[in-house]
Amino acid sequence: MKPIHLVGLMLWRGGFLLAAAVAAYEIARVVLAFLDLPEALELGGGLALSGLLLVLASLVLENRQDART
């Protein structure tokens, strides 16, 4: 694989991961906004829930990849 292709692939995956993280964070904050929590708890909860969502997604992808091999 050419170095330029590798860099492009890394940038594409990084951008996708950033977009997924921001989307998960925003969804978690919207869900937590209904609970009428203080701003600090809403921020912490949003980060915790978005991190949990990303970990679960990575576990599903890893299991799927292991099943293929």
Side-chain angles (χ1 to χ4, degrees):
M1 182 179 288
K2 292 182 180 180
I4 192 73
H5 293 151
L6 185 62
V7 169
L9 186 61
M10 287 173 29
L11 288 173
W12 176 78
R13 285 184 179 174
F16 182 74
L17 182 60
L18 179 65
V22 170
Y25 173 72
E26 290 298 326
I27 289 169
R29 283 202 63 184
V30 167
V31 169
L32 291 173
F34 288 113
L35 299 177
D36 196 29
L37 296 173
E39 184 72 23
L41 287 177
E42 186 178 320
L43 177 65
L47 290 173
L49 288 176
S50 62
L52 178 66
L53 180 66
L54 292 174
V55 167
L56 289 175
S58 71
L59 286 173
V60 168
L61 291 175
E62 184 179 327
N63 284 338
R64 186 173 164 213
Q65 187 177 25
D66 287 344
R68 286 185 183 176
T69 59

